Amino acid sequence: MNRAPLIFLGIFFALAFSWTGIVLTNQISYGSLQPVYDETEGKSFPQQTPGLAARGKLVYQDLGCIYCHSQQVRRPGYGADIERGWGERQSVPRDYIRESRVLLGSMRTGPDLRNIGARQTDRTWQYLHLYDPQITSAGSIMPPHRFLFETRKIIGQPSPKAIQDKLPASARPPAGYEIVPTERAESLVAYLLSLKDTYAYPETKNVYVEPAAEAGKEEKK
Amino acid sequence: MMVPAPSLATSLNPATSTAEVKRAELREIDASTKWPALFLLGSAVGWLLIGTVFALISSFKMHSPEFLGNYEWLTFGRARTAHLNAVVYGWSVNASFAVAFWLMARLSRSVLRHSGLLIVAAVFWNVGVTLGIYGILAGDSTSIEWLEMPLYATPLLFLAYALVGAWAIITFRFGKSPHIYVSQWYILAALFWFPWLYSVAEIMIVFTPARGTVQALVNWWFAHNVLGLWFTPIGLAAVYYFLPKVLGKPIHSYYLSVLGFWSLAIFYNWAGVHHLIGGPVPAWVQSAGIAASFMMVVPVIVVAINHHMTMVGSFNALKYSPTLRFIVFGAVSYTLASLQGSSMAIRSWAEVTHFTHYTVGHSHIGMYAFFTMVMFGSIYYIMPRILLKEWPSATLISVHFWATAVGVIIYVVGLSIGGVLEGLLMNTPVLAHKLGLQPTDDPVPFLDIVRRTIPYLVSRSVAGVLMTVGHIAFAINFAWIIIRSTQPAASAPTLFRSPPDMEVAAQ
């Protein structure tokens, strides 16, 4: 008896089943979610990432920040994402529809960054932290990204973006030199600052928000 | 092993005993696999070493961020990704190709035809992986987990895979064996599933990206299924073949192995969504993923019983046979990894462990303690048979086994404890407070968590050094068996020590 065709059929349907269930069904059911147009603001949300930030996202991708940072906030009551101040609300599928590459991430060796642009708006802090995380966050295990900066001779006016004055004495360049972010560092920081899901979509207003969590949020403020 | 290889004609001589005929036939088949297997296994071992170097770099960086801190090419996000791709697509896939071909040829009792095709495929594959890893280090990573290789590498991999698939079908069709063994089911299914997974994932995430978090679903459907529908079946196929082979007795129950196969095929491929529990994807898919993860208990227990019952009464053989020792370590780890995986899908446990080092520990039970150890065991069996010479050093095998076994245990224990601690502090502060880990119910500052996990990250580096020692011992033995002149003194298979009078059927 040749059972090969039968076995093959089984093998085929096993995967076809999950492919249909996980991939196709979801693609059909929410693969064409649309942005929401807000009458009062006259804009649609989520907004397009501006050009510089979009380039910064490529830097984020090529350096592999995703292996230590997630970009998804879980609902109140599940995990402590909200209590940690990683977002005002949970992330929903609509938040991601403008992104041609979704970087949810699966590790939180560092904090979630979905709303970093809302909680750490100081550009200089971001530069210093990138240059060497020990400056802003002693004991951090985030790698230094000094290679995103350039040490150069000051010619004429010093650059307004230069950071050497804020570095610890031992890390400063010789007099007459300055340390400035490269274009990649600038775009990366622009990307980080663009990360904020603060708009409340209809579906975020009353899902899963337990009163306790709401109260916790009030206290934090 | 000293008997000179008889030609097929002599061995088909009806005057010889059937055992002799069979042995000669096997030898003929083994010989036909020699060059592709050597090429694949050689590449695999090379990638294993490269992957190990990147593993160590990443591991050191994780607790000492200044280590090699000025080199953009080796920044954590890239080194860690190079590690993953080198050990998965370099080491594991090359090894699994070799083991799968060798098993296919033996099980379908057919000499390996068109081995040129296989070698071409293997060359394409390895060029693709090299290019891909270069791309990752150079900054072209896609940052899609498990699919990081840039666009200019992936078509080569696909081409290689197509050739492999074509070859497998030819071999299967020309097989002489009237029976389809369980190991063959696993291999055929894996060979069929992988290209499907890979092409869907590449198309829906890289070429024409699906919208929003549908990408994440495709991503984890793929990434988890590479484990479940490629590495797991090949690993199990090897266990199902070598366990009875080395012990010289049949597998405990044919029925159980069939049940194990089908329940794996049906449940595993839904389980990947458990990587997105709590994430921005529809709740029902998460629930389906959780349910499927629980159901995975069925195939796992079934396979565990089957393997255990086969081993019963023969545990003594573990003292002697290297192959058996690695394979049994792998088989036990498979059970552990899978049961742990199912438990990690429980919502309240996922709440703690998700996003932590615990998951990294778990993936190393699967990919290392199970899959890699089974591949090591298989290679110890295959190499002497295709080269017709024995392993030069039993001591090196011993070092290999103990360093990797102890290493991976330290690895997993360290990261599991550290990961749970990290998870409790990060995700469930109230529970952490109840357990006395922190002073109040409020989340502790993030840097405190970082500080408290560092000792466990250091323990991982220690484990990594041990595993590296094992890999080096293995690589030396591997190179040595290839270059040493033929006909060593020993005529028996390499064993850790000679069995007293018990017959270890190592043929």
Side-chain angles (χ1 to χ4, degrees), chain A residues 3 11 14 17-18 30-31 33 61-63 67 72 74 78-80 84 100-102 106 108-110 141 146 184, chain B residues 62 66 70 72 78 80-81 139 142-143 145 148 193 211-213 215 221 269 347 351 355 425-427 444 446:
Chain A
R3 283 179 308 162
I11 289 171
F17 184 41
S18 77
Y30 81 101
L33 264 184
Q61 279 169 217
D62 92 48
L63 293 173
Y67 301 105
Q72 50 175 314
R74 295 184 289 178
Y78 193 73
R84 289 200 163 275
S100 65
R101 181 139 312 146
V102 173
S106 58
R108 284 180 175 169
T109 305
I141 51 172
R146 286 184 287 267
R184 293 174 74 210
Chain B
M62 197 118 202
E66 280 296 334
N70 288 329
E72 176 166 9
R78 293 190 189 172
R80 170 244 177 251
T81 309
T142 62
S143 264
E145 292 191 62
E148 287 96 350
W193 284 327
R211 180 166 285 201
T213 59
Q215 278 179 33
W221 174 77
N269 58 81
R347 268 180 213 272
E351 185 181 6
F355 299 123
L425 297 171
M426 176 162 72
N427 296 319
V444 293
F446 200 88

Short mmCIF file of all heavy atoms in Angstrom, two decimals, chain A residues 3 11 14 17-18 30-31 33 61-63 67 72 74 78-80 84 100-102 106 108-110 141 146 184, chain B residues 62 66 70 72 78 80-81 139 142-143 145 148 193 211-213 215 221 269 347 351 355 425-427 444 446:
data_model
loop_
_atom_site.label_atom_id
_atom_site.label_comp_id
_atom_site.label_asym_id
_atom_site.label_seq_id
_atom_site.Cartn_x
_atom_site.Cartn_y
_atom_site.Cartn_z
N ARG A 3 1.17 4.81 0.94
CA ARG A 3 0.47 5.84 1.70
C ARG A 3 1.05 7.22 1.50
O ARG A 3 0.61 8.18 2.10
CB ARG A 3 0.48 5.47 3.18
CG ARG A 3 -0.53 4.38 3.51
CD ARG A 3 -0.45 4.06 4.97
NE ARG A 3 0.94 3.77 5.31
CZ ARG A 3 1.41 3.78 6.55
NH1 ARG A 3 0.62 4.10 7.54
NH2 ARG A 3 2.67 3.49 6.81
N ILE A 11 0.30 16.48 5.59
CA ILE A 11 1.37 17.44 5.83
C ILE A 11 0.99 18.81 5.25
O ILE A 11 1.18 19.85 5.86
CB ILE A 11 2.69 16.93 5.19
CG1 ILE A 11 3.22 15.75 5.99
CG2 ILE A 11 3.73 18.02 5.11
CD1 ILE A 11 4.39 15.04 5.33
N ALA A 14 -1.90 20.43 7.34
CA ALA A 14 -1.49 20.89 8.68
C ALA A 14 -1.02 22.33 8.61
O ALA A 14 -1.46 23.18 9.39
CB ALA A 14 -0.38 19.99 9.21
N PHE A 17 -3.68 24.98 7.37
CA PHE A 17 -4.63 25.35 8.41
C PHE A 17 -4.13 26.59 9.18
O PHE A 17 -4.83 27.60 9.28
CB PHE A 17 -4.76 24.14 9.34
CG PHE A 17 -5.76 24.29 10.44
CD1 PHE A 17 -6.98 24.91 10.21
CD2 PHE A 17 -5.47 23.78 11.70
CE1 PHE A 17 -7.90 25.03 11.24
CE2 PHE A 17 -6.39 23.90 12.73
CZ PHE A 17 -7.59 24.52 12.50
N SER A 18 -2.91 26.54 9.65
CA SER A 18 -2.45 27.69 10.45
C SER A 18 -2.15 28.88 9.54
O SER A 18 -2.30 30.03 9.94
CB SER A 18 -1.20 27.32 11.25
OG SER A 18 -0.06 27.31 10.43
N TYR A 30 -8.03 42.56 9.33
CA TYR A 30 -7.59 43.90 9.71
C TYR A 30 -6.37 44.37 8.93
O TYR A 30 -5.72 45.35 9.30
CB TYR A 30 -7.42 44.02 11.22
CG TYR A 30 -6.15 43.50 11.83
CD1 TYR A 30 -5.12 44.37 12.19
CD2 TYR A 30 -5.96 42.15 12.07
CE1 TYR A 30 -3.95 43.90 12.77
CE2 TYR A 30 -4.80 41.68 12.63
CZ TYR A 30 -3.80 42.54 12.99
OH TYR A 30 -2.64 42.08 13.56
N GLY A 31 -6.09 43.71 7.84
CA GLY A 31 -4.93 44.09 7.03
C GLY A 31 -5.17 45.35 6.22
O GLY A 31 -4.27 45.81 5.51
N LEU A 33 -6.82 48.15 7.76
CA LEU A 33 -7.22 49.21 8.70
C LEU A 33 -6.83 50.58 8.14
O LEU A 33 -5.74 50.73 7.59
CB LEU A 33 -6.47 49.02 10.01
CG LEU A 33 -7.10 48.28 11.16
CD1 LEU A 33 -6.16 48.32 12.36
CD2 LEU A 33 -8.43 48.91 11.52
N GLN A 61 17.08 50.28 12.87
CA GLN A 61 17.06 48.90 12.36
C GLN A 61 18.47 48.36 12.17
O GLN A 61 18.77 47.23 12.51
CB GLN A 61 16.34 48.84 11.00
CG GLN A 61 14.86 48.80 11.13
CD GLN A 61 14.16 49.00 9.78
OE1 GLN A 61 13.13 49.64 9.73
NE2 GLN A 61 14.71 48.47 8.71
N ASP A 62 19.35 49.18 11.60
CA ASP A 62 20.64 48.59 11.26
C ASP A 62 21.51 48.37 12.50
O ASP A 62 22.34 47.49 12.53
CB ASP A 62 21.32 49.37 10.11
CG ASP A 62 22.26 50.49 10.54
OD1 ASP A 62 23.10 50.25 11.40
OD2 ASP A 62 22.17 51.59 9.96
N LEU A 63 21.25 49.14 13.56
CA LEU A 63 22.03 48.94 14.79
C LEU A 63 21.41 47.88 15.71
O LEU A 63 22.01 47.50 16.70
CB LEU A 63 22.18 50.26 15.55
CG LEU A 63 23.02 51.31 14.83
CD1 LEU A 63 22.96 52.62 15.59
CD2 LEU A 63 24.46 50.85 14.69
N TYR A 67 16.67 44.49 19.60
CA TYR A 67 16.98 43.31 20.41
C TYR A 67 17.03 43.61 21.90
O TYR A 67 17.18 42.69 22.71
CB TYR A 67 18.27 42.66 19.92
CG TYR A 67 18.11 42.28 18.47
CD1 TYR A 67 18.71 43.01 17.46
CD2 TYR A 67 17.25 41.24 18.13
CE1 TYR A 67 18.48 42.69 16.14
CE2 TYR A 67 17.02 40.92 16.81
CZ TYR A 67 17.63 41.65 15.82
OH TYR A 67 17.38 41.35 14.51
N GLN A 72 5.78 48.28 22.17
CA GLN A 72 4.38 47.90 22.32
C GLN A 72 4.02 48.05 23.79
O GLN A 72 4.75 47.59 24.66
CB GLN A 72 4.16 46.45 21.86
CG GLN A 72 5.14 45.46 22.45
CD GLN A 72 4.83 44.03 22.07
OE1 GLN A 72 3.68 43.61 22.13
NE2 GLN A 72 5.84 43.28 21.65
N ARG A 74 1.49 47.20 26.77
CA ARG A 74 0.43 46.24 27.06
C ARG A 74 -0.67 46.89 27.89
O ARG A 74 -0.46 47.92 28.53
CB ARG A 74 1.01 45.02 27.78
CG ARG A 74 1.95 44.27 26.85
CD ARG A 74 2.47 43.00 27.48
NE ARG A 74 3.40 43.28 28.55
CZ ARG A 74 3.97 42.31 29.29
NH1 ARG A 74 3.67 41.05 29.05
NH2 ARG A 74 4.82 42.61 30.24
N TYR A 78 -2.13 44.12 32.79
CA TYR A 78 -1.33 43.01 32.27
C TYR A 78 0.09 43.51 32.11
O TYR A 78 0.39 44.29 31.20
CB TYR A 78 -1.91 42.50 30.96
CG TYR A 78 -1.31 41.17 30.55
CD1 TYR A 78 -1.66 40.01 31.23
CD2 TYR A 78 -0.37 41.08 29.54
CE1 TYR A 78 -1.09 38.79 30.90
CE2 TYR A 78 0.19 39.87 29.19
CZ TYR A 78 -0.17 38.73 29.88
OH TYR A 78 0.40 37.53 29.55
N GLY A 79 0.97 43.10 32.98
CA GLY A 79 2.31 43.68 33.02
C GLY A 79 2.20 45.03 33.71
O GLY A 79 1.13 45.41 34.20
N ALA A 80 3.31 45.75 33.80
CA ALA A 80 3.28 47.04 34.50
C ALA A 80 3.65 48.17 33.55
O ALA A 80 4.21 49.18 33.96
CB ALA A 80 4.23 46.99 35.69
N ARG A 84 4.80 51.86 34.69
CA ARG A 84 6.17 52.30 34.46
C ARG A 84 6.24 53.58 33.63
O ARG A 84 7.32 54.08 33.36
CB ARG A 84 6.97 51.21 33.74
CG ARG A 84 7.25 50.02 34.62
CD ARG A 84 8.41 49.18 34.12
NE ARG A 84 8.84 48.35 35.22
CZ ARG A 84 9.70 48.74 36.15
NH1 ARG A 84 10.28 49.91 36.05
NH2 ARG A 84 10.01 47.95 37.16
N SER A 100 6.03 50.76 7.40
CA SER A 100 6.25 49.67 6.45
C SER A 100 7.04 48.55 7.12
O SER A 100 7.04 47.43 6.66
CB SER A 100 6.99 50.18 5.23
OG SER A 100 8.27 50.60 5.60
N ARG A 101 7.70 48.87 8.22
CA ARG A 101 8.29 47.78 9.01
C ARG A 101 7.90 47.96 10.46
O ARG A 101 8.17 49.00 11.06
CB ARG A 101 9.80 47.74 8.87
CG ARG A 101 10.40 46.62 9.66
CD ARG A 101 11.50 45.91 8.95
NE ARG A 101 11.19 45.56 7.59
CZ ARG A 101 12.09 45.54 6.61
NH1 ARG A 101 13.33 45.86 6.85
NH2 ARG A 101 11.74 45.18 5.41
N VAL A 102 7.25 46.94 10.99
CA VAL A 102 6.75 47.02 12.36
C VAL A 102 7.80 46.42 13.29
O VAL A 102 8.24 45.30 13.10
CB VAL A 102 5.43 46.25 12.46
CG1 VAL A 102 4.96 46.17 13.90
CG2 VAL A 102 4.37 46.95 11.61
N SER A 106 10.81 41.77 21.03
CA SER A 106 10.42 40.71 21.95
C SER A 106 11.29 40.71 23.20
O SER A 106 11.20 39.80 24.01
CB SER A 106 10.51 39.35 21.26
OG SER A 106 11.82 39.15 20.78
N ARG A 108 12.94 43.15 26.51
CA ARG A 108 12.97 44.41 27.23
C ARG A 108 14.18 44.46 28.15
O ARG A 108 14.05 44.68 29.36
CB ARG A 108 11.67 44.61 28.02
CG ARG A 108 10.53 45.02 27.11
CD ARG A 108 9.25 45.21 27.87
NE ARG A 108 8.21 45.73 26.99
CZ ARG A 108 6.92 45.79 27.33
NH1 ARG A 108 6.53 45.36 28.53
NH2 ARG A 108 6.03 46.28 26.49
N THR A 109 15.33 44.23 27.56
CA THR A 109 16.55 44.43 28.32
C THR A 109 16.62 45.91 28.69
O THR A 109 17.14 46.29 29.73
CB THR A 109 17.76 44.01 27.48
OG1 THR A 109 17.54 42.68 27.06
CG2 THR A 109 19.05 44.11 28.26
N GLY A 110 16.09 46.75 27.80
CA GLY A 110 15.91 48.17 28.10
C GLY A 110 14.41 48.47 28.09
O GLY A 110 13.61 47.61 27.73
N ILE A 141 23.40 48.86 30.87
CA ILE A 141 24.14 47.92 30.02
C ILE A 141 23.88 48.21 28.56
O ILE A 141 24.19 47.41 27.69
CB ILE A 141 23.83 46.45 30.34
CG1 ILE A 141 22.33 46.21 30.35
CG2 ILE A 141 24.45 46.05 31.66
CD1 ILE A 141 21.98 44.74 30.47
N ARG A 146 29.36 55.77 20.39
CA ARG A 146 30.25 56.88 20.07
C ARG A 146 30.51 56.97 18.57
O ARG A 146 30.81 58.03 18.05
CB ARG A 146 31.57 56.72 20.82
CG ARG A 146 31.45 57.03 22.31
CD ARG A 146 32.80 56.95 22.98
NE ARG A 146 33.22 55.56 23.09
CZ ARG A 146 32.99 54.79 24.16
NH1 ARG A 146 32.38 55.30 25.21
NH2 ARG A 146 33.38 53.54 24.20
N ARG A 184 23.55 60.49 10.98
CA ARG A 184 22.81 59.30 11.43
C ARG A 184 22.31 59.48 12.86
O ARG A 184 21.18 59.09 13.19
CB ARG A 184 23.70 58.06 11.34
CG ARG A 184 24.03 57.71 9.90
CD ARG A 184 25.02 56.58 9.84
NE ARG A 184 24.40 55.31 10.18
CZ ARG A 184 25.04 54.31 10.76
NH1 ARG A 184 26.30 54.44 11.11
NH2 ARG A 184 24.42 53.18 11.01
N MET B 62 26.90 42.15 26.94
CA MET B 62 25.66 42.35 27.67
C MET B 62 25.90 42.76 29.12
O MET B 62 25.07 43.44 29.70
CB MET B 62 24.83 41.08 27.62
CG MET B 62 23.43 41.35 27.97
SD MET B 62 22.39 40.95 26.59
CE MET B 62 20.98 41.90 26.95
N GLU B 66 31.26 48.21 27.50
CA GLU B 66 32.42 48.84 26.88
C GLU B 66 33.27 47.85 26.09
O GLU B 66 34.13 48.23 25.31
CB GLU B 66 33.29 49.55 27.93
CG GLU B 66 32.76 50.91 28.34
CD GLU B 66 32.74 51.94 27.19
OE1 GLU B 66 33.54 51.81 26.25
OE2 GLU B 66 31.89 52.85 27.24
N ASN B 70 33.75 50.36 20.69
CA ASN B 70 33.93 51.40 19.68
C ASN B 70 33.73 50.91 18.26
O ASN B 70 33.86 51.68 17.32
CB ASN B 70 35.31 52.02 19.81
CG ASN B 70 35.38 52.91 21.04
OD1 ASN B 70 34.38 53.50 21.43
ND2 ASN B 70 36.55 52.97 21.65
N GLU B 72 31.50 49.80 15.43
CA GLU B 72 30.11 49.77 15.00
C GLU B 72 29.72 48.38 14.47
O GLU B 72 28.62 47.90 14.72
CB GLU B 72 29.89 50.83 13.92
CG GLU B 72 28.50 50.78 13.36
CD GLU B 72 28.13 52.00 12.54
OE1 GLU B 72 29.02 52.82 12.26
OE2 GLU B 72 26.95 52.12 12.21
N ARG B 78 24.18 44.02 16.33
CA ARG B 78 24.66 43.33 15.14
C ARG B 78 25.36 42.02 15.49
O ARG B 78 25.15 41.01 14.83
CB ARG B 78 25.62 44.23 14.37
CG ARG B 78 24.94 45.45 13.78
CD ARG B 78 25.88 46.16 12.83
NE ARG B 78 25.33 47.44 12.42
CZ ARG B 78 26.02 48.33 11.72
NH1 ARG B 78 27.26 48.07 11.37
NH2 ARG B 78 25.45 49.47 11.36
N ARG B 80 24.94 40.11 18.04
CA ARG B 80 23.96 39.14 18.51
C ARG B 80 23.18 38.56 17.32
O ARG B 80 22.87 37.37 17.27
CB ARG B 80 23.03 39.83 19.50
CG ARG B 80 21.84 39.07 19.90
CD ARG B 80 20.59 39.82 19.43
NE ARG B 80 19.40 39.04 19.75
CZ ARG B 80 18.68 38.44 18.82
NH1 ARG B 80 19.00 38.48 17.56
NH2 ARG B 80 17.60 37.76 19.17
N THR B 81 22.90 39.41 16.35
CA THR B 81 22.16 38.97 15.18
C THR B 81 23.05 38.09 14.29
O THR B 81 22.58 37.10 13.72
CB THR B 81 21.67 40.20 14.42
OG1 THR B 81 21.00 41.04 15.36
CG2 THR B 81 20.71 39.83 13.33
N GLY B 139 25.47 46.54 8.48
CA GLY B 139 24.39 47.47 8.76
C GLY B 139 23.21 47.38 7.82
O GLY B 139 22.42 48.31 7.70
N THR B 142 17.55 43.66 8.36
CA THR B 142 16.16 44.09 8.23
C THR B 142 15.52 44.33 9.60
O THR B 142 14.45 44.90 9.68
CB THR B 142 15.32 43.01 7.54
OG1 THR B 142 15.37 41.85 8.37
CG2 THR B 142 15.86 42.67 6.16
N SER B 143 16.17 43.84 10.67
CA SER B 143 15.59 43.91 12.02
C SER B 143 14.26 43.18 12.13
O SER B 143 13.42 43.55 12.93
CB SER B 143 15.43 45.36 12.49
OG SER B 143 16.55 45.72 13.29
N GLU B 145 12.96 39.69 13.28
CA GLU B 145 13.60 38.59 13.99
C GLU B 145 13.56 37.31 13.18
O GLU B 145 12.54 36.92 12.64
CB GLU B 145 12.93 38.40 15.35
CG GLU B 145 13.23 39.61 16.24
CD GLU B 145 12.85 39.41 17.68
OE1 GLU B 145 13.40 38.51 18.32
OE2 GLU B 145 11.98 40.16 18.15
N GLU B 148 16.73 38.42 9.40
CA GLU B 148 17.51 39.65 9.33
C GLU B 148 18.32 39.80 8.06
O GLU B 148 18.73 40.89 7.71
CB GLU B 148 18.46 39.74 10.52
CG GLU B 148 17.77 40.05 11.84
CD GLU B 148 17.45 38.82 12.64
OE1 GLU B 148 17.61 37.70 12.08
OE2 GLU B 148 17.06 38.94 13.81
N TRP B 193 7.62 21.92 4.42
CA TRP B 193 7.13 23.07 5.19
C TRP B 193 8.04 24.28 5.09
O TRP B 193 7.58 25.41 4.97
CB TRP B 193 6.96 22.69 6.67
CG TRP B 193 5.75 21.87 6.96
CD1 TRP B 193 4.55 21.94 6.32
CD2 TRP B 193 5.62 20.85 7.95
NE1 TRP B 193 3.67 21.02 6.87
CE2 TRP B 193 4.31 20.35 7.87
CE3 TRP B 193 6.48 20.33 8.93
CZ2 TRP B 193 3.83 19.34 8.72
CZ3 TRP B 193 6.01 19.34 9.77
CH2 TRP B 193 4.69 18.85 9.66
N ARG B 211 0.12 45.13 6.20
CA ARG B 211 -0.08 46.34 6.98
C ARG B 211 -0.01 46.09 8.48
O ARG B 211 -0.57 45.14 8.99
CB ARG B 211 -1.45 46.92 6.62
CG ARG B 211 -1.74 48.18 7.40
CD ARG B 211 -2.91 48.91 6.82
NE ARG B 211 -2.53 49.58 5.58
CZ ARG B 211 -3.22 50.61 5.08
NH1 ARG B 211 -4.29 51.04 5.68
NH2 ARG B 211 -2.84 51.17 3.96
N GLY B 212 0.70 46.97 9.14
CA GLY B 212 0.70 46.98 10.60
C GLY B 212 1.13 45.66 11.23
O GLY B 212 2.02 44.97 10.74
N THR B 213 0.45 45.33 12.30
CA THR B 213 0.92 44.20 13.10
C THR B 213 0.61 42.85 12.47
O THR B 213 0.96 41.82 13.04
CB THR B 213 0.32 44.24 14.51
OG1 THR B 213 -1.10 44.22 14.39
CG2 THR B 213 0.75 45.50 15.24
N GLN B 215 2.17 41.96 10.09
CA GLN B 215 3.58 41.59 9.92
C GLN B 215 4.11 40.82 11.12
O GLN B 215 4.86 39.86 10.97
CB GLN B 215 4.45 42.85 9.80
CG GLN B 215 4.49 43.45 8.43
CD GLN B 215 5.36 44.71 8.44
OE1 GLN B 215 6.33 44.82 9.18
NE2 GLN B 215 4.99 45.67 7.61
N TRP B 221 4.68 33.51 13.23
CA TRP B 221 4.23 32.27 12.58
C TRP B 221 5.45 31.63 11.92
O TRP B 221 5.69 30.43 12.05
CB TRP B 221 3.16 32.63 11.53
CG TRP B 221 2.68 31.50 10.69
CD1 TRP B 221 1.82 30.50 11.06
CD2 TRP B 221 3.02 31.25 9.31
NE1 TRP B 221 1.61 29.66 10.00
CE2 TRP B 221 2.32 30.10 8.92
CE3 TRP B 221 3.83 31.90 8.38
CZ2 TRP B 221 2.41 29.57 7.64
CZ3 TRP B 221 3.90 31.38 7.11
CH2 TRP B 221 3.22 30.23 6.74
N ASN B 269 2.09 24.38 14.60
CA ASN B 269 2.17 25.55 13.75
C ASN B 269 1.22 26.69 14.13
O ASN B 269 1.28 27.76 13.57
CB ASN B 269 2.08 25.15 12.27
CG ASN B 269 0.83 24.42 11.95
OD1 ASN B 269 -0.20 25.02 11.75
ND2 ASN B 269 0.92 23.10 11.89
N ARG B 347 -1.15 32.60 30.45
CA ARG B 347 -1.14 34.05 30.46
C ARG B 347 -0.41 34.66 31.65
O ARG B 347 0.39 35.57 31.50
CB ARG B 347 -2.57 34.60 30.43
CG ARG B 347 -3.07 34.88 29.05
CD ARG B 347 -4.48 35.42 29.10
NE ARG B 347 -5.22 34.99 27.94
CZ ARG B 347 -5.25 35.65 26.79
NH1 ARG B 347 -4.59 36.77 26.65
NH2 ARG B 347 -5.95 35.20 25.77
N GLU B 351 3.02 36.75 31.55
CA GLU B 351 3.08 38.13 32.04
C GLU B 351 4.43 38.39 32.71
O GLU B 351 5.04 39.44 32.55
CB GLU B 351 1.94 38.37 33.04
CG GLU B 351 1.84 39.80 33.52
CD GLU B 351 0.71 40.01 34.52
OE1 GLU B 351 0.08 39.01 34.92
OE2 GLU B 351 0.46 41.16 34.89
N PHE B 355 9.43 38.97 27.34
CA PHE B 355 10.37 40.11 27.21
C PHE B 355 11.61 39.97 28.09
O PHE B 355 12.36 40.92 28.25
CB PHE B 355 9.72 41.45 27.56
CG PHE B 355 8.56 41.84 26.69
CD1 PHE B 355 7.32 42.10 27.25
CD2 PHE B 355 8.72 41.97 25.32
CE1 PHE B 355 6.25 42.49 26.45
CE2 PHE B 355 7.65 42.36 24.53
CZ PHE B 355 6.42 42.62 25.09
N LEU B 425 10.29 41.82 38.77
CA LEU B 425 10.53 43.23 39.09
C LEU B 425 9.96 44.15 38.02
O LEU B 425 9.42 45.21 38.31
CB LEU B 425 12.03 43.49 39.24
CG LEU B 425 12.74 42.75 40.38
CD1 LEU B 425 14.24 42.93 40.27
CD2 LEU B 425 12.24 43.24 41.72
N MET B 426 10.09 43.73 36.77
CA MET B 426 9.71 44.62 35.68
C MET B 426 8.21 44.61 35.42
O MET B 426 7.60 45.65 35.20
CB MET B 426 10.45 44.22 34.40
CG MET B 426 10.07 45.01 33.17
SD MET B 426 11.30 44.84 31.87
CE MET B 426 11.05 43.17 31.30
N ASN B 427 7.62 43.42 35.46
CA ASN B 427 6.24 43.29 34.99
C ASN B 427 5.20 43.14 36.07
O ASN B 427 4.04 43.49 35.88
CB ASN B 427 6.13 42.08 34.05
CG ASN B 427 6.95 42.26 32.80
OD1 ASN B 427 6.98 43.34 32.23
ND2 ASN B 427 7.62 41.20 32.38
N VAL B 444 10.08 49.22 40.71
CA VAL B 444 11.41 49.75 41.05
C VAL B 444 12.00 50.38 39.79
O VAL B 444 11.62 50.03 38.69
CB VAL B 444 12.37 48.64 41.55
CG1 VAL B 444 11.91 48.10 42.87
CG2 VAL B 444 12.52 47.53 40.52
N PHE B 446 14.12 51.22 36.58
CA PHE B 446 14.59 50.25 35.60
C PHE B 446 16.04 49.86 35.83
O PHE B 446 16.41 48.69 35.70
CB PHE B 446 14.39 50.79 34.18
CG PHE B 446 14.38 49.70 33.16
CD1 PHE B 446 13.20 49.06 32.83
CD2 PHE B 446 15.56 49.29 32.56
CE1 PHE B 446 13.19 48.02 31.92
CE2 PHE B 446 15.56 48.25 31.65
CZ PHE B 446 14.38 47.62 31.33
#
